[in-house]
Amino acid sequence: MAQDKPKLKLAVYWGAACGGCCVSVLDVHEKLLDILAHADLVFWPIALDIKYQDVEQMPDQSIDITLFNGAVRNSENEHMAHVLRRKSRILVAYGSCAYLGGIPGLANFYTKEEVFRRVYEESESLDNPQKIHPLPENEVTEGHLHIPSFYNDVLTLAQVVDVDYFIPGCPPQSERLVEVFMDIVNGSDLPLKGSVIGASSKVQCDECKRKKSDKKGITRFYRPWEVTDDGMTCLNEQGILCMGPATRAGCGVRCVEGNAPCRGCYGPLDGIGDAGTRILSAIASMLDGKEPEEINRAIDSIVDPAGTFYRFSLPGSKLRRKVS
Amino acid sequence: MPINDEARVGFYICHCGHNIANMVDVTSVAEYAAKLPNVVLSRDYKYMCSDPGQEMILKDAEVFKLNRIVVASCSPLLHENTFRNATAKAGINQFYFQMVNIRENASWVHEDKELATVKAKDLVRAAISRVVFHKALEKKKVPVNPDVLIVGGGISGISAALNIANAGKKVYLVEKDPTIGGYMAKFDKTFPTLDCAACILTPKMSAVLKHPGITLMSYSEVAAVEGYVGNYQVKVTRKPRYIIEEKCVGCFACIDACIFKEAKFSDEFNEGLSKRKPVYIPFPQATPQVVLIDDKTCIHFKTGKCPQSCAKACDRNAFDFDQKPVTQELEVGTILLCTGFQPFDAARAPYYGYGRYPNVYTSLEVERLVNASGPTGGNVVLRDKTRPKSIGIIHCVGSRDEKTNKWCSRVCCMYSLKLAHLLKEHTDAEIYNFYIDMRTPGKGYEEFYDKLLNEGVHFIRGRVAEVSDWAINEHEKGKLVIRAEDTLIGMVRRIPVDMVVLAVGIEPGKDAQDIRRVFNISCSNEGFFLERHPKLAPVETFTDGIFIAGACQGPKDIPDSVAQAGAAAAQALALIDSGFVELEPNTAFINEELCCGCQVCINLCPYHAITFDETKSVSHINEAICKGCGTCVAACGSGAITQNLFEDQQILSEIYGLLVE
Amino acid sequence: MSTIENSNKDWSPRIIAFFCNWCTYTASDLAGVSRLRYAPTTRVIRVMCSGRIDPEFVIEAFTQGADGILIGGCHPGDCHYSEGNYKCLRRYHLLQRVIGQMGIDQRRLRLEWISASEGKRLQEVVNEMTETLRQLGPSPIKEVVQTVIK
């Protein structure tokens, strides 16, 4: 134990997130003890009762590493992103949502009004006959009520503040987190600012053990329950839409190992400008058919192409959101 | 705009005389370019492609330490090589060059100078934005196989074959028909000299056959072509003649012995004006002198019950009824296409009565009728064997007509004059020529027309409306009446004649589209093969190493076909004698560090250039086979494939440059 | 700001045209040689084959302000590289779905097979597409991408 070295200060924060990323930090299990031997957790809403104003009062640059998970979708997320940027030496976008927008980013297929209408007016489980929407500012008998304002656009962390590193995954694999952390503790050379860390530099297929051939020739796609996977052959070759060919490896090919197609949560490789068009092009390149009708028949069997190709990356993509 | 600190761009804009400067404000573009990032120098000049223009690049490169060159002028398809060479001469890698097309893509197609100038600026900005990301590349040199394939054994193919073989190169001459000679072999005399076609053609045909450097493959067709300039692999399929070619000496004993005592099948060579047997030779001087069996009419093939008297009559055992198509593979470096034309089908102009009135003939049929070795031995008689006393020759049948072919077929006026002369000579009939315009440009051609004017042949200027047998007076009874407006006297005239000759035009061969696909070349709108440049590269195509000559490129007469064949032969010889070709280095390669082995790319490659390395679990591109289409690049989910000259970053910065100031 | 918007003329769209070297680019040269006048709206990027066109190029051009994208390749069966145009066609159809879902008017992306001899067709296509885009008006894409709405 390096008693002579002062302990690192570590923060974990969630923006627009499901909580899975925080759980993935917990999922390091007993390794957490190793981390805590080297670091104090100074802020972690899921586990510690530390208020925002406590963080705001910390000296600037006093937190060594902040793992920011979740996208930025309201004023609270953005405010904390700025605060944590100021307080942290290293700010890490942790998980698909902070990195590329993630699942909450799919809301960029809609406007704020559409989201509110769905949630507060149309939802099947709703009882809101007066169609009341939340207001950011409200006078109630107890006084002035203030809640964060909801943004029209879901943003990635890097679209709001300067980010040092990105750890992809929905959620990131806990082992990778421990590795990255221990590297920092051991004083290894830090990667270049802006790097994606805790993941591979090749795509999923590189680690995937399924048998691949040059015979793709897809004439239609199947949802996983529509066919019996042989358990051995490349899923795309069986017509099961798998994002593996354009998705960064590093998760251990977890989904495909579990006989489910890769959904693309680790995002694209370095230098790829747009994750969605990259997988779109790779998938289209596997299609068969020369007549527009044949091609479109195959495409018809892809449920929600844009949502599929941009499942985790819409806010971080070139278009960022639905245009109109 | 992306900045590359090391890039020092020299920018030049060409006036192209007035071609560009009239529609694009070149000075303003030059001033604009001077302010763009990385641009060290910006100039405009009257003719960039001229020697002084290129010299200027050389001098500037030294004085201003340029390391990138951008020229805005005409299409890169025209002058990219010119400026790449100038760039190389200036001591800069030739691929640190980018060309901006502001002539074909701007000044020649727009009418608003302000907008054309804006467009030119956008295009210039894109090129400068792109060129900073260019990489130094080398052209790969590959040897040229000296053997040549010539497709088509008409006068063009024959001339080209002899030219090339006489230069000591090996030629494969592939002809789809059983004999070489093409249409010229059918003609009696040739204009304007009236020398006998056979007398000048047959010696050439036999020279082809005898030439040690020429392998004649008659009754054969090219099935497939692979490879690239200097190194083509060609599959040629020989159709079965049912005769072992090497054994047949052309004694024709088999033809006499055929079970059919009388010839009863339409003779293609005589345009159906005579009959032939199922075992036949197209014409006496056919080359090679080898008979063949038409399996569609031969009793053996139809019923299997023929005593095979033909085979029995052959004392050289040359018959082989089991012959099948045989495919042979050839390796050649260059290919000449001399696949010719087809005459316009006169039935497509029903108003002239061809096929309805027996005494309406096509010009090609009349060529056979006046020919001493033709079906009537040169005796011009109608179908009822009587001699015509009056003959009408209708020009421009199928040509210069919105309803059929719009183009002028170039040869019809002259051959009509020739036929008028020959028919007059053979029959002493009254001859009427109906023409729209008389087109006789060519050495000795106008003089020939003059001669005809003095031979008592009538010329009526006007397009013929119709040919009918509807007589309105005694005088017309039993005759074919040609109705036309005589535009010189401004009257509609009815000329009754015994015989009508339709001067049919020239159109692309019926298999031109198939040939085009096999050889990967383009056709012009009319369907003739497209030359690389109408003036400066008339025998080259857009596919390097493939040349065209003769009427497959457009209507032309014998002298022009022979001249063009010579030009194509010279192009092929120049390529062969240079010994090697330089290939555009626009091939793709795979970064093994990124390749995941998904193999999506492999099947996309039409040339099988991509293989999977099982040990490394990565795909690999054989750059010698890659032709640089870039299809695999766009398919790679890892971004592991790069195409030289068309890298993602280069194209993306071009897009950026076009759109962002 | 685009250069065209800066000019005094009525608004005219900007079309990024990806043309294959062998067919459509040659057709555009032919249109030039034949002096066929057409709207000065296209900006051509030459690629060797329409199969090289990465859907990302299309999206990039839209986000940088293109009002329309025109892809030109060889007719089916006529590709200089045998079948690159089919590969382009497959990507094009899938991309059309995606841009439709992204709220981009699908008329802003057009694929046309234009052979080397069809200078006239090129003229017609450019003029037609220009007219369509004039009716659609300026593309909102660049502004949407660059303006975050909170």
Side-chain angles (χ1 to χ4, degrees):
Chain A
M1 294 287 145
Q3 296 297 348
D4 43 342
K5 263 203 274 181
K7 275 186 156 186
L8 294 172
K9 289 198 171 80
L10 189 61
V12 182
Y13 180 71
W14 52 8
C18 66
C21 282
C22 286
V23 173
S24 82
V25 179
L26 286 175
D27 273 351
V28 302
H29 302 299
E30 70 282 2
K31 291 268 169 57
L32 188 61
L33 299 176
D34 295 345
I35 293 177
L36 291 178
H38 300 283
D40 284 331
L41 274 159
V42 297
F43 179 51
W44 191 6
I46 199 174
L48 306 168
D49 185 18
I50 292 168
K51 306 294 186 203
Y52 287 176
Q53 57 259 48
D54 301 332
V55 182
E56 281 160 16
Q57 278 159 17
M58 291 177 189
D60 287 357
Q61 302 275 299
S62 64
I63 304 173
D64 291 291
I65 305 167
T66 293
L67 303 179
F68 189 112
N69 68 77
V72 175
R73 98 101 60 247
N74 64 27
S75 55
E76 177 189 4
N77 303 152
E78 183 174 8
H79 171 70
M80 286 311 291
H82 287 294
V83 170
L84 287 166
R85 172 67 277 182
R86 210 162 52 241
K87 303 298 169 192
S88 315
R89 285 202 304 120
I90 297 174
L91 177 65
V92 180
Y94 183 79
S96 306
C97 301
Y99 172 30
L100 293 168
I103 297 292
L106 288 170
N108 279 1
F109 280 113
Y110 305 92
T111 61
K112 173 180 169 176
E113 286 69 33
E114 287 166 332
V115 172
F116 273 23
R117 198 183 317 128
R118 173 74 192 146
V119 172
Y120 296 107
E121 297 179 27
E122 297 167 359
S123 172
E124 291 74 5
S125 59
L126 195 71
D127 181 19
N128 183 10
Q130 290 161 286
K131 300 190 188 327
I132 296 168
H133 286 206
L135 294 173
E137 315 260 343
N138 211 358
E139 291 300 331
V140 288
T141 38
E142 291 83 358
H144 186 76
L145 198 64
H146 170 94
I147 59 167
S149 72
F150 186 92
Y151 289 172
N152 187 70
D153 296 358
V154 179
L155 300 166
T156 69
L157 184 59
Q159 284 166 347
V160 174
V161 293
D162 190 31
V163 174
D164 295 297
Y165 300 112
F166 301 88
I167 298 181
C170 181
Q173 286 309 304
S174 309
E175 300 89 317
R176 299 291 96 74
L177 173 62
V178 178
E179 285 162 21
V180 169
F181 181 79
M182 294 316 281
D183 278 351
I184 295 171
V185 169
N186 296 330
S188 308
D189 282 342
L190 290 176
L192 274 172
K193 189 178 156 160
S195 302
V196 171
I197 56 175
S200 167
S201 58
K202 285 196 176 191
V203 296
Q204 297 282 333
C205 309
D206 182 53
E207 295 178 8
C208 174
K209 294 188 195 71
R210 286 183 178 245
K211 210 163 62 50
K212 293 170 274 288
S213 76
D214 56 12
K215 308 278 177 293
K216 309 290 184 195
I218 303 170
T219 51
R220 69 153 289 185
F221 291 97
Y222 300 91
R223 314 208 61 186
W225 49 267
E226 289 179 298
V227 278
T228 310
D229 166 26
D230 66 9
M232 290 147 50
T233 312
C234 165
L235 287 167
N236 278 317
E237 285 171 36
Q238 298 185 65
I240 301 167
L241 196 55
C242 175
M243 302 292 113
T247 302
R248 189 188 288 271
C251 59
V253 212
R254 292 253 169 145
C255 291
V256 180
E257 291 277 286
N259 296 328
C262 168
R263 304 193 311 158
C265 73
Y266 264 62
L269 291 188
D270 294 336
I272 304 293
D274 193 89
T277 50
R278 181 60 53 167
I279 185 65
L280 179 160
S281 193
I283 294 294
S285 302
M286 299 182 206
L287 288 178
D288 205 12
K290 292 180 177 173
E291 294 302 318
E293 299 73 37
E294 285 174 84
I295 296 169
N296 278 309
R297 236 188 340 268
I299 293 174
D300 283 340
S301 60
I302 303 177
V303 180
D304 184 11
T308 305
F309 302 141
Y310 288 104
R311 180 179 273 137
F312 292 94
S313 67
L314 185 56
S317 72
K318 289 202 158 161
L319 287 170
R320 221 173 44 74
R321 62 160 297 114
K322 190 175 178 213
V323 173
S324 59
Chain B
M1 202 167 207
I3 310 267
N4 172 349
D5 290 339
E6 279 149 29
R8 296 176 61 81
V9 179
F11 171 75
Y12 301 87
I13 183 165
C14 178
H15 296 221
C16 194
H18 295 299
N19 280 305
I20 292 171
N22 266 4
M23 191 46 69
V24 170
D25 184 346
V26 289
T27 357
S28 120
V29 176
E31 282 165 13
Y32 175 80
K35 295 182 200 126
L36 293 173
N38 297 112
V39 175
V40 177
L41 172 85
S42 173
R43 291 188 197 276
D44 62 285
Y45 188 69
K46 206 98 189 147
Y47 289 106
M48 277 311 295
C49 61
S50 67
D51 277 350
Q54 296 186 53
E55 280 298 317
M56 190 161 70
I57 297 177
L58 257 66
K59 284 197 196 107
D60 288 347
E62 198 186 333
V63 175
F64 296 91
K65 302 199 173 5
L66 303 177
N67 57 20
R68 298 287 191 286
I69 302 294
V70 173
V71 176
S73 55
C74 50
S75 168
L77 302 186
L78 194 63
H79 271 313
E80 187 170 53
N81 268 334
T82 310
F83 295 118
R84 276 183 178 174
N85 288 339
T87 305
K89 270 193 210 147
I92 305 169
N93 184 284
Q94 61 173 311
F95 296 99
Y96 282 142
F97 167 76
Q98 178 71 7
M99 191 154 176
V100 192
N101 182 349
I102 54 164
R103 195 179 73 174
E104 286 82 347
N105 271 350
S107 69
W108 276 355
V109 287
H110 302 319
E111 290 170 312
D112 181 317
K113 190 164 181 179
E114 193 181 331
L115 290 181
T117 305
V118 166
K119 176 170 176 175
K121 285 179 185 171
D122 287 354
L123 292 170
V124 164
R125 207 169 54 231
I128 291 168
S129 172
R130 182 194 215 275
V131 78
V132 303
F133 292 108
H134 279 204
K135 303 226 170 89
L137 297 166
E138 293 304 326
K139 282 192 174 178
K140 199 165 50 188
K141 282 187 178 183
V142 293
V144 173
N145 183 325
D147 298 352
V148 181
L149 169 71
I150 297 178
V151 187
I155 184 59
S156 304
I158 288 172
S159 305
L162 289 171
N163 278 333
I164 293 170
N166 287 342
K169 312 297 181 209
K170 171 113 194 93
V171 173
Y172 297 96
L173 178 60
V174 174
E175 166 57 51
K176 72 174 187 321
D177 285 339
T179 173
I180 56 171
Y183 281 102
M184 187 175 170
K186 297 189 179 195
F187 303 158
D188 179 36
K189 301 246 164 68
T190 54
F191 61 77
T193 47
L194 295 175
D195 40 0
C196 142
C199 310
I200 53 177
L201 179 66
T202 40
K204 293 220 170 245
M205 289 162 63
S206 58
V208 164
L209 192 68
K210 290 192 200 112
H211 204 296
I214 301 177
T215 303
L216 174 58
M217 305 170 83
S218 62
Y219 215 38
S220 301
E221 287 183 42
V222 175
V225 176
E226 280 187 25
Y228 52 91
V229 53
N231 301 273
Y232 285 108
Q233 295 86 46
V234 182
K235 287 200 177 104
V236 178
T237 304
R238 273 179 186 236
K239 296 178 268 191
R241 283 175 178 267
Y242 308 106
I243 306 291
I244 300 160
E245 213 170 293
E246 296 70 29
K247 288 190 181 173
C248 177
V249 289
C251 70
F252 310 153
C254 50
I255 301 178
D256 293 336
C258 177
I259 190 87
F260 285 100
K261 288 287 167 268
E262 296 296 321
K264 57 178 289 195
F265 303 103
S266 179
D267 179 348
E268 298 87 351
F269 187 76
N270 277 330
E271 297 291 309
L273 293 173
S274 66
K275 305 287 183 205
R276 62 156 173 79
K277 293 182 177 180
V279 58
Y280 71 105
I281 188 150
F283 61 101
Q285 298 84 16
T287 306
Q289 279 277 302
V290 176
V291 298
L292 72 154
I293 296 174
D294 172 14
D295 56 15
K296 284 181 197 68
T297 51
C298 172
I299 293 286
H300 168 77
F301 288 99
K302 286 177 77 176
T303 66
K305 289 178 189 155
C306 182
Q308 302 185 351
S309 47
C310 53
K312 287 175 190 144
C314 181
D315 54 13
R316 293 178 59 86
N317 276 330
F319 279 73
D320 175 4
F321 288 98
D322 297 325
Q323 243 178 26
K324 296 274 174 295
V326 181
T327 300
Q328 189 180 344
E329 223 161 294
L330 308 176
E331 300 217 333
V332 297
T334 45
I335 297 173
L336 270 60
L337 298 179
C338 309
T339 53
F341 66 99
Q342 69 180 8
F344 174 78
D345 174 8
R348 283 174 60 203
Y351 28 91
Y352 294 153
Y354 182 74
R356 201 162 69 244
Y357 305 124
N359 291 333
V360 177
Y361 291 82
T362 68
S363 45
L364 217 50
E365 288 167 343
V366 176
E367 290 283 357
R368 296 309 300 150
L369 281 181
V370 295
N371 197 308
S373 59
T376 57
N379 188 20
V380 178
V381 288
L382 298 169
R383 302 215 196 238
D384 62 2
K385 308 291 179 213
T386 61
R387 174 164 291 218
K389 291 186 191 63
S390 52
I391 303 170
I393 301 175
I394 302 176
H395 291 219
C396 296
V397 175
S399 307
R400 304 183 67 198
D401 188 339
E402 292 284 332
K403 290 193 290 291
T404 53
N405 296 328
K406 288 187 188 171
W407 59 88
C408 166
S409 293
R410 287 190 60 192
V411 297
C412 322
C413 281
M414 282 306 293
Y415 81 58
S416 295
L417 290 174
K418 175 192 75 178
L419 289 177
H421 169 85
L422 294 175
L423 288 168
K424 186 87 189 161
E425 197 176 72
H426 283 66
T427 64
D428 202 29
E430 286 300 318
I431 314 261
Y432 302 88
N433 270 278
F434 297 85
Y435 67 99
I436 306 176
D437 297 292
M438 196 55 85
R439 294 187 170 179
T440 58
K443 196 171 181 181
Y445 289 12
E446 185 69 13
E447 293 85 336
F448 189 73
Y449 176 30
D450 269 347
K451 176 175 135 83
L452 262 287
L453 287 172
N454 294 318
E455 281 184 5
V457 172
H458 307 285
F459 288 91
I460 297 169
R461 185 176 183 276
R463 167 158 240 148
V464 173
E466 65 166 355
V467 173
S468 74
D469 60 356
W470 180 53
I472 57 170
N473 55 41
E474 275 305 305
H475 179 57
E476 291 179 357
K477 220 165 224 170
K479 306 255 181 191
L480 292 167
V481 180
I482 299 173
R483 201 157 61 86
E485 183 188 2
D486 186 331
T487 58
L488 295 181
I489 58 171
M491 277 176 64
V492 173
R493 294 178 67 178
R494 297 172 59 90
I495 312 280
V497 294
D498 296 326
M499 179 189 208
V500 171
V501 181
L502 303 181
V504 290
I506 284 179
E507 60 184 26
K510 65 173 186 300
D511 49 0
Q513 292 294 326
D514 299 331
I515 296 170
R516 170 178 73 90
R517 292 206 172 97
V518 168
F519 291 93
N520 208 348
I521 61 167
S522 298
C523 279
S524 60
N525 243 351
E526 310 83 56
F528 293 109
F529 295 155
L530 186 67
E531 63 281 356
R532 194 178 190 112
H533 190 278
K535 296 173 196 74
L536 301 178
V539 297
E540 286 146 276
T541 65
F542 285 98
T543 303
D544 289 337
I546 298 188
F547 305 98
I548 48 178
C552 63
Q553 182 262 350
K556 55 182 67 65
D557 57 17
I558 294 166
D560 284 2
S561 296
V562 172
Q564 209 181 20
Q571 291 286 348
L573 289 171
L575 195 61
I576 296 166
D577 281 349
S578 69
F580 61 86
V581 281
E582 288 188 321
L583 298 183
E584 186 79 356
N586 58 9
T587 48
F589 61 90
I590 294 178
N591 177 355
E592 290 185 2
E593 300 288 307
L594 288 176
C595 176
C596 67
C598 69
Q599 303 172 50
V600 172
C601 53
I602 292 181
N603 240 4
L604 296 181
C605 180
Y607 309 107
H608 313 293
I610 314 179
T611 47
F612 187 63
D613 181 337
E614 295 281 353
T615 49
K616 288 192 198 162
S617 215
V618 293
S619 295
H620 174 77
I621 296 177
N622 181 342
E623 285 191 53
I625 304 176
C626 171
K627 288 201 187 180
C629 64
T631 301
C632 58
V633 184
C636 181
S638 304
I641 314 182
T642 305
Q643 184 188 9
N644 286 324
L645 289 173
F646 295 90
E647 295 186 23
D648 279 356
Q649 192 184 30
Q650 292 164 353
I651 296 173
L652 288 168
S653 44
E654 201 174 345
I655 296 170
Y656 182 89
L658 283 176
L659 292 161
V660 185
E661 275 192 73
Chain C
M1 278 296 278
S2 84
T3 30
I4 286 181
E5 279 163 27
N6 287 342
S7 75
N8 300 324
K9 313 272 163 182
D10 291 330
W11 177 79
S12 116
R14 263 181 319 170
I15 302 168
I16 299 298
F18 295 97
F19 288 167
C20 85
N21 182 67
W22 305 99
C23 290
T24 314
Y25 194 86
T26 311
S28 84
D29 270 6
L30 177 66
V33 173
S34 318
R35 309 297 198 278
L36 300 175
R37 311 286 171 185
Y38 55 84
T41 47
T42 47
R43 307 287 185 266
V44 179
I45 292 179
R46 181 170 64 112
V47 287
M48 295 313 285
C49 178
S50 56
R52 172 68 185 92
I53 300 162
D54 194 317
E56 185 185 337
F57 299 163
V58 173
I59 299 295
E60 172 71 12
F62 275 134
T63 59
Q64 297 296 356
D67 297 299
I69 316 283
L70 174 61
I71 297 174
C74 307
H75 284 273
D78 291 354
C79 175
H80 188 80
Y81 302 101
S82 177
E83 295 195 340
N85 50 357
Y86 289 118
K87 284 129 201 174
C88 174
L89 184 68
R90 293 168 196 153
R91 292 176 190 137
Y92 165 80
H93 281 294
L94 192 47
L95 182 60
Q96 272 289 14
R97 298 292 177 98
V98 168
I99 69 162
Q101 282 187 282
M102 297 301 295
I104 298 170
D105 193 303
Q106 287 168 321
R107 287 171 292 180
R108 293 193 186 275
L109 171 62
R110 184 164 171 175
L111 170 71
E112 282 293 336
W113 306 136
I114 302 174
S115 78
S117 62
E118 294 177 312
K120 190 108 185 63
R121 178 84 192 120
L122 183 110
Q123 176 194 38
E124 288 162 7
V125 167
V126 171
N127 283 341
E128 256 174 47
M129 190 169 180
T130 301
E131 197 39 50
T132 306
L133 293 172
R134 271 213 181 98
Q135 281 163 18
L136 288 175
S139 162
I141 302 168
K142 185 175 184 180
E143 205 186 324
V144 168
V145 169
Q146 293 191 343
T147 321
V148 171
I149 302 178
K150 291 185 175 171

